mmCIF file of all heavy atoms in Angstrom:
data_model
loop_
_atom_site.group_PDB
_atom_site.id
_atom_site.type_symbol
_atom_site.label_atom_id
_atom_site.label_comp_id
_atom_site.label_asym_id
_atom_site.label_seq_id
_atom_site.Cartn_x
_atom_site.Cartn_y
_atom_site.Cartn_z
ATOM 1 N N LEU E 1016 10.477 7.373 -5.444
ATOM 2 C CA LEU E 1016 10.519 6.033 -4.848
ATOM 3 C C LEU E 1016 11.534 5.078 -5.484
ATOM 4 O O LEU E 1016 12.036 4.182 -4.814
ATOM 5 C CB LEU E 1016 9.130 5.378 -4.936
ATOM 6 C CG LEU E 1016 7.967 6.133 -4.283
ATOM 7 C CD1 LEU E 1016 6.665 5.366 -4.492
ATOM 8 C CD2 LEU E 1016 8.210 6.347 -2.798
ATOM 9 N N ILE E 1019 14.876 4.320 -3.807
ATOM 10 C CA ILE E 1019 14.816 3.669 -2.478
ATOM 11 C C ILE E 1019 15.003 2.158 -2.651
ATOM 12 O O ILE E 1019 15.671 1.498 -1.862
ATOM 13 C CB ILE E 1019 13.490 3.993 -1.748
ATOM 14 C CG1 ILE E 1019 13.347 5.507 -1.559
ATOM 15 C CG2 ILE E 1019 13.422 3.264 -0.401
ATOM 16 C CD1 ILE E 1019 12.086 5.950 -0.824
ATOM 17 N N PHE E 1020 14.422 1.617 -3.696
ATOM 18 C CA PHE E 1020 14.591 0.186 -3.978
ATOM 19 C C PHE E 1020 15.960 -0.084 -4.611
ATOM 20 O O PHE E 1020 16.698 -0.953 -4.161
ATOM 21 C CB PHE E 1020 13.478 -0.301 -4.921
ATOM 22 C CG PHE E 1020 12.130 -0.350 -4.251
ATOM 23 C CD1 PHE E 1020 11.324 0.782 -4.190
ATOM 24 C CD2 PHE E 1020 11.669 -1.515 -3.658
ATOM 25 C CE1 PHE E 1020 10.093 0.756 -3.559
ATOM 26 C CE2 PHE E 1020 10.441 -1.564 -3.022
ATOM 27 C CZ PHE E 1020 9.648 -0.417 -2.973
ATOM 28 N N ALA E 1024 17.927 0.226 -0.756
ATOM 29 C CA ALA E 1024 17.749 -1.162 -0.296
ATOM 30 C C ALA E 1024 18.479 -2.162 -1.213
ATOM 31 O O ALA E 1024 18.734 -3.294 -0.822
ATOM 32 C CB ALA E 1024 16.263 -1.503 -0.243
ATOM 33 N N THR E 1026 17.373 -3.685 -3.849
ATOM 34 C CA THR E 1026 16.406 -4.777 -3.918
ATOM 35 C C THR E 1026 16.783 -5.818 -4.977
ATOM 36 O O THR E 1026 17.132 -5.473 -6.098
ATOM 37 C CB THR E 1026 15.028 -4.182 -4.245
ATOM 38 O OG1 THR E 1026 14.671 -3.319 -3.172
ATOM 39 C CG2 THR E 1026 13.964 -5.252 -4.423
ATOM 40 N N HIS E 1031 12.121 -10.216 -4.586
ATOM 41 C CA HIS E 1031 11.093 -9.293 -4.073
ATOM 42 C C HIS E 1031 9.759 -9.484 -4.789
ATOM 43 O O HIS E 1031 8.707 -9.496 -4.140
ATOM 44 C CB HIS E 1031 11.556 -7.839 -4.193
ATOM 45 C CG HIS E 1031 10.602 -6.863 -3.573
ATOM 46 N ND1 HIS E 1031 10.251 -6.909 -2.234
ATOM 47 C CD2 HIS E 1031 9.902 -5.829 -4.097
ATOM 48 C CE1 HIS E 1031 9.384 -5.937 -1.972
ATOM 49 N NE2 HIS E 1031 9.148 -5.264 -3.085
ATOM 50 N N LYS E 1034 7.838 -12.478 -3.586
ATOM 51 C CA LYS E 1034 7.400 -12.219 -2.212
ATOM 52 C C LYS E 1034 6.135 -11.348 -2.221
ATOM 53 O O LYS E 1034 5.198 -11.567 -1.453
ATOM 54 C CB LYS E 1034 8.526 -11.496 -1.459
ATOM 55 C CG LYS E 1034 8.363 -11.485 0.026
ATOM 56 C CD LYS E 1034 9.393 -10.599 0.703
ATOM 57 C CE LYS E 1034 10.749 -11.251 0.883
ATOM 58 N NZ LYS E 1034 11.696 -10.356 1.601
ATOM 59 N N MET E 1035 6.110 -10.374 -3.130
ATOM 60 C CA MET E 1035 4.953 -9.484 -3.195
ATOM 61 C C MET E 1035 3.737 -10.172 -3.820
ATOM 62 O O MET E 1035 2.601 -9.835 -3.480
ATOM 63 C CB MET E 1035 5.299 -8.189 -3.936
ATOM 64 C CG MET E 1035 6.362 -7.350 -3.252
ATOM 65 S SD MET E 1035 6.103 -7.089 -1.470
ATOM 66 C CE MET E 1035 4.661 -6.043 -1.480
ATOM 67 N N PHE E 1038 2.453 -11.944 -0.865
ATOM 68 C CA PHE E 1038 1.868 -10.990 0.089
ATOM 69 C C PHE E 1038 0.438 -10.628 -0.313
ATOM 70 O O PHE E 1038 -0.502 -10.768 0.473
ATOM 71 C CB PHE E 1038 2.748 -9.731 0.157
ATOM 72 C CG PHE E 1038 2.165 -8.633 1.004
ATOM 73 C CD1 PHE E 1038 2.149 -8.739 2.386
ATOM 74 C CD2 PHE E 1038 1.649 -7.478 0.418
ATOM 75 C CE1 PHE E 1038 1.618 -7.715 3.173
ATOM 76 C CE2 PHE E 1038 1.122 -6.456 1.191
ATOM 77 C CZ PHE E 1038 1.105 -6.578 2.574
ATOM 78 N N TRP E 1039 0.262 -10.195 -1.558
ATOM 79 C CA TRP E 1039 -1.070 -9.735 -1.974
ATOM 80 C C TRP E 1039 -2.054 -10.889 -2.120
ATOM 81 O O TRP E 1039 -3.245 -10.735 -1.881
ATOM 82 C CB TRP E 1039 -0.976 -8.901 -3.255
ATOM 83 C CG TRP E 1039 -0.426 -7.538 -2.965
ATOM 84 C CD1 TRP E 1039 0.777 -7.027 -3.390
ATOM 85 C CD2 TRP E 1039 -1.021 -6.512 -2.144
ATOM 86 N NE1 TRP E 1039 0.951 -5.744 -2.891
ATOM 87 C CE2 TRP E 1039 -0.125 -5.409 -2.129
ATOM 88 C CE3 TRP E 1039 -2.208 -6.423 -1.423
ATOM 89 C CZ2 TRP E 1039 -0.400 -4.229 -1.430
ATOM 90 C CZ3 TRP E 1039 -2.477 -5.250 -0.716
ATOM 91 C CH2 TRP E 1039 -1.581 -4.170 -0.726
ATOM 92 N N TYR E 1049 2.314 -15.916 2.561
ATOM 93 C CA TYR E 1049 3.289 -14.889 2.957
ATOM 94 C C TYR E 1049 3.473 -14.898 4.471
ATOM 95 O O TYR E 1049 2.498 -14.917 5.216
ATOM 96 C CB TYR E 1049 2.808 -13.494 2.522
ATOM 97 C CG TYR E 1049 3.676 -12.378 3.062
ATOM 98 C CD1 TYR E 1049 4.901 -12.097 2.460
ATOM 99 C CD2 TYR E 1049 3.309 -11.654 4.183
ATOM 100 C CE1 TYR E 1049 5.721 -11.092 2.960
ATOM 101 C CE2 TYR E 1049 4.117 -10.646 4.690
ATOM 102 C CZ TYR E 1049 5.330 -10.374 4.077
ATOM 103 O OH TYR E 1049 6.132 -9.378 4.580
ATOM 104 N N GLY E 1051 6.150 -12.760 6.092
ATOM 105 C CA GLY E 1051 7.227 -11.809 6.404
ATOM 106 C C GLY E 1051 6.814 -10.802 7.448
ATOM 107 O O GLY E 1051 5.787 -10.936 8.101
ATOM 108 N N ASN E 1052 7.626 -9.776 7.594
ATOM 109 C CA ASN E 1052 7.361 -8.730 8.581
ATOM 110 C C ASN E 1052 7.487 -7.359 7.910
ATOM 111 O O ASN E 1052 8.553 -6.755 7.910
ATOM 112 C CB ASN E 1052 8.357 -8.872 9.740
ATOM 113 C CG ASN E 1052 8.093 -7.857 10.843
ATOM 114 O OD1 ASN E 1052 7.374 -6.864 10.645
ATOM 115 N ND2 ASN E 1052 8.682 -8.088 11.992
ATOM 116 N N PRO E 1053 6.385 -6.879 7.319
ATOM 117 C CA PRO E 1053 6.451 -5.616 6.581
ATOM 118 C C PRO E 1053 6.877 -4.428 7.442
ATOM 119 O O PRO E 1053 7.603 -3.560 6.979
ATOM 120 C CB PRO E 1053 5.016 -5.404 6.074
ATOM 121 C CG PRO E 1053 4.377 -6.743 6.134
ATOM 122 C CD PRO E 1053 5.068 -7.504 7.220
ATOM 123 N N ALA E 1056 10.654 -4.404 7.764
ATOM 124 C CA ALA E 1056 11.293 -4.126 6.470
ATOM 125 C C ALA E 1056 11.321 -2.622 6.189
ATOM 126 O O ALA E 1056 12.290 -2.112 5.621
ATOM 127 C CB ALA E 1056 10.552 -4.860 5.351
ATOM 128 N N HIS E 1057 10.257 -1.917 6.582
ATOM 129 C CA HIS E 1057 10.210 -0.477 6.310
ATOM 130 C C HIS E 1057 10.867 0.336 7.413
ATOM 131 O O HIS E 1057 11.451 1.378 7.148
ATOM 132 C CB HIS E 1057 8.767 -0.035 6.075
ATOM 133 C CG HIS E 1057 8.161 -0.724 4.891
ATOM 134 N ND1 HIS E 1057 7.413 -1.861 4.994
ATOM 135 C CD2 HIS E 1057 8.263 -0.457 3.566
ATOM 136 C CE1 HIS E 1057 7.066 -2.267 3.784
ATOM 137 N NE2 HIS E 1057 7.562 -1.449 2.900
ATOM 138 N N LEU E 1060 14.419 1.174 6.911
ATOM 139 C CA LEU E 1060 14.763 2.174 5.881
ATOM 140 C C LEU E 1060 14.787 3.595 6.460
ATOM 141 O O LEU E 1060 15.408 4.491 5.893
ATOM 142 C CB LEU E 1060 13.738 2.134 4.741
ATOM 143 C CG LEU E 1060 13.684 0.851 3.915
ATOM 144 C CD1 LEU E 1060 12.471 0.875 2.992
ATOM 145 C CD2 LEU E 1060 14.967 0.679 3.094
ATOM 146 N N MET E 1066 11.136 8.528 4.475
ATOM 147 C CA MET E 1066 9.994 7.609 4.426
ATOM 148 C C MET E 1066 8.805 8.315 5.067
ATOM 149 O O MET E 1066 8.173 7.810 5.997
ATOM 150 C CB MET E 1066 10.314 6.312 5.186
ATOM 151 C CG MET E 1066 11.280 5.380 4.479
ATOM 152 S SD MET E 1066 10.598 4.606 2.994
ATOM 153 C CE MET E 1066 9.535 3.346 3.690
ATOM 154 N N GLN E 1070 6.260 10.301 0.570
ATOM 155 C CA GLN E 1070 6.600 9.013 -0.058
ATOM 156 C C GLN E 1070 5.409 8.053 0.002
ATOM 157 O O GLN E 1070 5.112 7.368 -0.979
ATOM 158 C CB GLN E 1070 7.812 8.383 0.648
ATOM 159 C CG GLN E 1070 9.153 9.015 0.299
ATOM 160 C CD GLN E 1070 9.352 10.388 0.942
ATOM 161 O OE1 GLN E 1070 8.712 10.738 1.929
ATOM 162 N NE2 GLN E 1070 10.241 11.172 0.375
ATOM 163 N N PHE E 1071 4.729 8.009 1.146
ATOM 164 C CA PHE E 1071 3.589 7.087 1.253
ATOM 165 C C PHE E 1071 2.426 7.533 0.361
ATOM 166 O O PHE E 1071 1.738 6.700 -0.231
ATOM 167 C CB PHE E 1071 3.152 6.917 2.716
ATOM 168 C CG PHE E 1071 4.010 5.908 3.432
ATOM 169 C CD1 PHE E 1071 5.176 6.300 4.071
ATOM 170 C CD2 PHE E 1071 3.679 4.560 3.419
ATOM 171 C CE1 PHE E 1071 5.997 5.365 4.697
ATOM 172 C CE2 PHE E 1071 4.485 3.617 4.039
ATOM 173 C CZ PHE E 1071 5.648 4.024 4.679
ATOM 174 N N TRP E 1074 3.370 6.451 -3.111
ATOM 175 C CA TRP E 1074 3.233 4.985 -3.215
ATOM 176 C C TRP E 1074 1.767 4.617 -3.435
ATOM 177 O O TRP E 1074 1.432 3.829 -4.311
ATOM 178 C CB TRP E 1074 3.790 4.339 -1.932
ATOM 179 C CG TRP E 1074 3.898 2.843 -1.935
ATOM 180 C CD1 TRP E 1074 5.014 2.105 -2.139
ATOM 181 C CD2 TRP E 1074 2.820 1.901 -1.739
ATOM 182 N NE1 TRP E 1074 4.708 0.763 -2.081
ATOM 183 C CE2 TRP E 1074 3.376 0.608 -1.838
ATOM 184 C CE3 TRP E 1074 1.456 2.031 -1.485
ATOM 185 C CZ2 TRP E 1074 2.617 -0.557 -1.694
ATOM 186 C CZ3 TRP E 1074 0.690 0.856 -1.353
ATOM 187 C CH2 TRP E 1074 1.274 -0.404 -1.462
ATOM 188 N N ALA E 1098 -4.532 -1.614 0.827
ATOM 189 C CA ALA E 1098 -3.266 -0.900 0.624
ATOM 190 C C ALA E 1098 -3.272 0.417 1.397
ATOM 191 O O ALA E 1098 -2.284 0.770 2.052
ATOM 192 C CB ALA E 1098 -3.033 -0.648 -0.865
ATOM 193 N N MET E 1101 -2.921 -0.271 5.155
ATOM 194 C CA MET E 1101 -1.564 -0.680 5.540
ATOM 195 C C MET E 1101 -0.575 0.459 5.374
ATOM 196 O O MET E 1101 0.354 0.595 6.181
ATOM 197 C CB MET E 1101 -1.151 -1.913 4.747
ATOM 198 C CG MET E 1101 -1.869 -3.144 5.270
ATOM 199 S SD MET E 1101 -1.299 -4.649 4.525
ATOM 200 C CE MET E 1101 -2.079 -4.521 2.944
ATOM 201 N N ALA E 1102 -0.764 1.290 4.343
ATOM 202 C CA ALA E 1102 0.140 2.438 4.167
ATOM 203 C C ALA E 1102 0.052 3.351 5.390
ATOM 204 O O ALA E 1102 1.061 3.817 5.914
ATOM 205 C CB ALA E 1102 -0.209 3.211 2.891
ATOM 206 N N ILE E 1105 1.736 1.509 8.433
ATOM 207 C CA ILE E 1105 3.205 1.441 8.321
ATOM 208 C C ILE E 1105 3.799 2.837 8.512
ATOM 209 O O ILE E 1105 4.747 3.034 9.274
ATOM 210 C CB ILE E 1105 3.638 0.834 6.962
ATOM 211 C CG1 ILE E 1105 3.183 -0.626 6.843
ATOM 212 C CG2 ILE E 1105 5.158 0.904 6.800
ATOM 213 C CD1 ILE E 1105 3.376 -1.243 5.454
HETATM 214 C C1 LIG U 269 6.936 4.980 0.959
HETATM 215 C C2 LIG U 269 6.351 3.819 0.621
HETATM 216 C C3 LIG U 269 7.117 2.532 0.513
HETATM 217 C C4 LIG U 269 8.422 2.307 0.185
HETATM 218 C C5 LIG U 269 9.476 3.331 -0.248
HETATM 219 C C6 LIG U 269 8.652 0.884 0.298
HETATM 220 C C7 LIG U 269 9.863 0.267 0.074
HETATM 221 C C8 LIG U 269 10.136 -1.048 0.346
HETATM 222 C C9 LIG U 269 11.444 -1.659 0.281
HETATM 223 C C10 LIG U 269 12.717 -0.938 -0.133
HETATM 224 C C11 LIG U 269 11.306 -2.944 0.640
HETATM 225 C C12 LIG U 269 12.424 -3.986 0.768
HETATM 226 C C13 LIG U 269 12.635 -4.648 -0.551
HETATM 227 C C14 LIG U 269 13.873 -5.504 -0.466
HETATM 228 O O1 LIG U 269 13.812 -6.612 0.111
HETATM 229 O O2 LIG U 269 14.907 -5.049 -0.959
HETATM 230 C C15 LIG U 269 9.906 -3.182 0.907
HETATM 231 C C16 LIG U 269 9.373 -4.392 1.280
HETATM 232 C C17 LIG U 269 8.027 -4.631 1.411
HETATM 233 N N1 LIG U 269 7.023 -3.712 1.272
HETATM 234 FE FE1 LIG U 269 7.246 -1.736 0.961
HETATM 235 N N2 LIG U 269 7.484 0.250 0.674
HETATM 236 C C18 LIG U 269 6.532 1.216 0.820
HETATM 237 C C19 LIG U 269 5.208 1.021 1.182
HETATM 238 C C20 LIG U 269 4.632 -0.208 1.348
HETATM 239 C C21 LIG U 269 3.233 -0.433 1.671
HETATM 240 C C22 LIG U 269 2.194 0.676 1.883
HETATM 241 C C23 LIG U 269 3.057 -1.787 1.739
HETATM 242 C C24 LIG U 269 1.807 -2.578 2.038
HETATM 243 C C25 LIG U 269 0.621 -2.238 1.587
HETATM 244 C C26 LIG U 269 4.336 -2.412 1.485
HETATM 245 C C27 LIG U 269 4.579 -3.766 1.486
HETATM 246 C C28 LIG U 269 5.824 -4.340 1.505
HETATM 247 C C29 LIG U 269 6.071 -5.734 1.809
HETATM 248 C C30 LIG U 269 5.027 -6.802 2.125
HETATM 249 C C31 LIG U 269 7.460 -5.923 1.755
HETATM 250 C C32 LIG U 269 8.229 -7.204 2.011
HETATM 251 C C33 LIG U 269 8.614 -7.292 3.478
HETATM 252 C C34 LIG U 269 9.289 -8.616 3.760
HETATM 253 O O3 LIG U 269 10.505 -8.671 3.552
HETATM 254 O O4 LIG U 269 8.609 -9.571 4.120
HETATM 255 N N3 LIG U 269 5.266 -1.426 1.237
HETATM 256 N N4 LIG U 269 9.217 -2.012 0.723
#
Side-chain angles (χ1 to χ4, degrees):
L1016 303 179
I1019 301 181
F1020 289 85
T1026 297
H1031 185 59
K1034 195 188 279 182
M1035 297 312 292
F1038 174 73
W1039 285 114
Y1049 172 78
N1052 183 344
H1057 299 95
L1060 295 170
M1066 287 291 284
Q1070 284 74 21
F1071 278 89
W1074 188 101
M1101 286 187 284
I1105 296 171

